Amino acid sequence: MVENVNRQDEFWRKTPIWADTSAKDFLSYRWSVANTVQGTSKLVKFLSAVLPENVPFDNSGSRTQTREELIQDVLDGVTTATMAIRITPYILSRINWEAPRTDPLFRQFLPVRSIMIPDHPNVTLDSLHEEADSPVKGLVHRYPDKALFLPTSVCPTYCMFCTRSYAVGADTDTVTKASLKPTRKRWDEALAHIASQPQLHDIVVSGGDSYYLAPEHLVQIGERLIAMPNIRRFRFASKGLAVAPSRIMDRSDGWVDALIHVSDLARKAGKAMALHTHFNHPNEISWVTRLAGRKLLEAGVTVRNQTVLLRGVNDDVETMSTLIRELADNNIYPYYVYQCDMVKKVEHLRTPLQTILDLEAQIRGSIAGFMMPQFVVDLPGGGGKRLACSFRSYDRETGVSTYLAPAVKGRGKADRVYEYYDPVQ
Ligand code: SF4
């Protein structure tokens, strides 16, 4: 699928268990699915194989813990976390296993109990009140002209900070997930609601993740949306480009052909389809990502990115600037940077509002305006996305910021004052 891969390009060989894995295998999506680390027993097996005997706590390396101690710390985190374990080989291969505790990808996808801190008292499982704003199960209709369709609850990799931890992935020790199984009946009801609302013009097809829609289902959903006179735009949301990019070039897999087909159909119908993806750190971008981005560009698929601001991952100007520039250079439009939602068990990853305000102030002007993301807060309680800097008040002592969302109506929302709370510590 990718000819002439240079041996020094084979970054996955640095991960001890893939030292002998060929490019043909590593870049095949079938191999990627078969080698995805899912569930605790596979996780323990993987960590036992890749971790050094002594793991440094920080970059100085002066303090270490044993491999077994870190594995136990992660297992304790798994029993606390709201998201199940599933991580693709691509993401695992981008982690520095010599010093994982300071690695920004390890920090995003692996729960470590000893670094977790107690939740803010106001965090909730479904902080955006998606279930309350769903007239049909799996269809969130919050904005007047836009709705979010959730056809599946499965993703190629699970993020600890997922805003949809109430429904996405397998049950965990702490959360029994709301069922969003991909059934024909549920899809028909959601699509019927979309068709019945003339004011709806814009649909996000997410989940879960569109990477877990079979190619024929991607086409079916795309064709049904295109055929609706009220729908002008739609997007498929998928983290796939960030966590398993080689699938985009894998000729034995039909997903990207289906996506390009729907994009072409939409364009011919005078409508717009886009792929929305989710990169959080420059280390997630490799030559494989660049090739995948190039293929989508040449096929005329618009790709936009949504980043979540995470403490210790991307909350400094240099990292965020590099990420935005890398995305822009690969024709992936940096659309949003989100303040981390007030969801459970990720307090150690949340930042105060001031961090996102400072980042925007520092970065604006360093890149063309149309490549500058909007820095937003998705308001707890279902007020929708607001520019972080548009707060009505922000008390830096108490860490409480308030916002209004006059365009988001329903259930007394138009006059409501929404509050976002900085992390307690
Ligand atoms: S890819 Fe998106 S939906 Fe899936 S776990 Fe991550 S944040 Fe949640």
Side-chain angles (χ1 to χ4, degrees):
M1 69 190 246
V2 180
E3 286 85 27
N4 304 324
V5 176
N6 204 311
R7 186 144 177 130
Q8 59 264 35
D9 289 338
E10 297 180 357
F11 52 83
W12 57 89
R13 290 186 188 264
K14 281 191 249 145
T15 308
I17 57 167
W18 296 321
D20 298 323
T21 301
S22 67
K24 185 167 174 283
D25 281 344
F26 190 83
L27 299 175
S28 123
Y29 187 59
R30 190 182 291 259
W31 185 94
S32 171
V33 171
N35 287 276
T36 289
V37 170
Q38 183 175 353
T40 44
S41 62
K42 279 192 181 167
L43 178 64
V44 170
K45 202 166 156 211
F46 178 85
L47 292 176
S48 304
V50 299
L51 286 173
E53 214 171 304
N54 292 297
V55 183
F57 262 87
D58 53 33
N59 290 331
S60 76
S62 55
R63 204 174 139 224
T64 61
Q65 68 180 153
T66 66
R67 174 194 299 141
E68 288 67 34
E69 284 168 341
L70 178 54
I71 291 174
Q72 189 54 54
D73 207 352
V74 171
L75 289 178
D76 292 344
V78 170
T79 61
T80 310
T82 61
M83 296 299 290
I85 292 290
R86 177 183 271 177
I87 316 175
T88 55
Y90 177 81
I91 285 295
L92 292 167
S93 76
R94 306 294 295 169
I95 292 173
N96 173 12
W97 290 105
E98 288 302 313
R101 292 190 67 110
T102 52
D103 187 282
L105 275 60
F106 185 90
R107 191 170 165 85
Q108 286 183 67
F109 301 112
L110 285 136
V112 176
R113 183 70 186 92
S114 62
I115 63 170
M116 291 180 174
I117 53 178
D119 283 340
H120 188 287
N122 290 21
V123 306
T124 54
L125 193 59
D126 175 13
S127 79
L128 304 183
H129 290 198
E130 289 190 342
E131 286 195 285
D133 281 337
S134 298
V136 175
K137 200 169 178 58
L139 186 87
V140 184
H141 188 174
R142 171 177 302 135
Y143 301 94
D145 74 332
K146 189 183 91 173
L148 170 67
F149 176 30
L150 308 172
T152 177
S153 59
V154 186
C155 303
T157 288
Y158 293 130
C159 317
M160 276 192 291
F161 47 87
C162 180
T163 199
R164 214 155 285 133
S165 52
Y166 70 90
V168 167
D171 290 350
T172 66
D173 288 0
T174 53
V175 184
T176 303
K177 306 281 170 158
S179 174
L180 288 181
K181 290 207 168 58
T183 65
R184 170 67 60 187
K185 182 171 174 292
R186 191 171 68 75
W187 289 10
D188 283 345
E189 285 171 4
L191 290 164
H193 176 85
I194 293 170
S196 73
Q197 304 290 309
Q199 81 281 15
L200 267 183
H201 301 314
D202 197 331
I203 302 299
V204 182
V205 182
S206 183
D209 192 300
S210 296
Y211 240 36
Y212 267 76
L213 289 177
E216 61 272 25
H217 293 152
L218 201 72
V219 172
Q220 281 167 18
I221 291 172
E223 285 179 343
R224 287 179 72 172
L225 292 172
I226 291 167
M228 293 180 197
N230 56 322
I231 299 305
R232 315 264 164 80
R233 296 166 294 277
F234 58 98
R235 333 145 194 190
F236 286 103
S238 173
K239 200 172 166 71
L241 184 59
V243 300
S246 61
R247 185 185 200 186
I248 303 291
M249 282 101 64
D250 189 338
R251 293 192 200 109
S252 66
D253 183 272
W255 192 87
V256 76
D257 292 337
L259 184 81
I260 292 168
H261 174 67
V262 176
S263 171
D264 291 344
L265 286 179
R267 200 176 311 108
K268 280 181 196 141
K271 302 187 175 188
M273 188 216 85
L275 175 68
H276 277 203
T277 192
H278 176 189
F279 288 85
N280 288 332
H281 193 278
N283 290 3
E284 293 159 5
I285 299 173
S286 70
W287 61 265
V288 187
T289 325
R290 291 186 188 99
L291 285 180
R294 184 63 185 259
K295 176 164 178 176
L296 292 168
L297 176 72
E298 287 173 1
V301 177
T302 301
V303 187
R304 304 189 189 100
N305 184 69
Q306 310 191 149
T307 291
V308 179
L309 175 61
L310 298 167
R311 182 142 68 103
V313 173
N314 56 17
D315 60 338
D316 61 282
V317 173
E318 192 187 333
T319 304
M320 189 61 83
S321 298
T322 305
L323 176 63
I324 291 169
R325 190 158 291 284
E326 279 273 351
L327 291 167
D329 289 351
N330 287 286
N331 297 293
I332 299 168
Y333 290 86
Y335 179 32
Y336 281 134
V337 173
Y338 287 95
Q339 182 75 359
C340 185
D341 288 330
M342 293 188 62
V343 291
K344 291 182 176 238
K345 305 303 171 198
V346 292
E347 204 66 2
H348 61 294
L349 291 173
R350 291 206 301 128
T351 63
L353 185 76
Q354 190 62 49
T355 307
I356 199 167
L357 301 175
D358 290 344
L359 282 174
E360 179 178 8
Q362 292 290 323
I363 294 171
R364 184 167 291 284
S366 69
I367 191 160
F370 63 92
M371 286 296 182
M372 181 68 183
Q374 297 189 38
F375 290 72
V376 296
V377 181
D378 212 343
L379 298 177
K385 292 176 257 310
R386 305 298 292 177
L387 287 177
C389 61
S390 69
F391 56 80
R392 202 184 66 148
S393 65
Y394 179 27
D395 182 335
R396 287 159 178 82
E397 287 297 310
T398 60
V400 183
S401 47
T402 61
Y403 291 85
L404 297 174
V408 177
K409 310 211 188 311
R411 293 191 299 115
K413 286 187 174 192
D415 304 322
R416 181 171 163 188
V417 177
Y418 294 88
E419 294 180 335
Y420 182 87
Y421 298 86
D422 287 353
V424 174
Q425 298 178 34

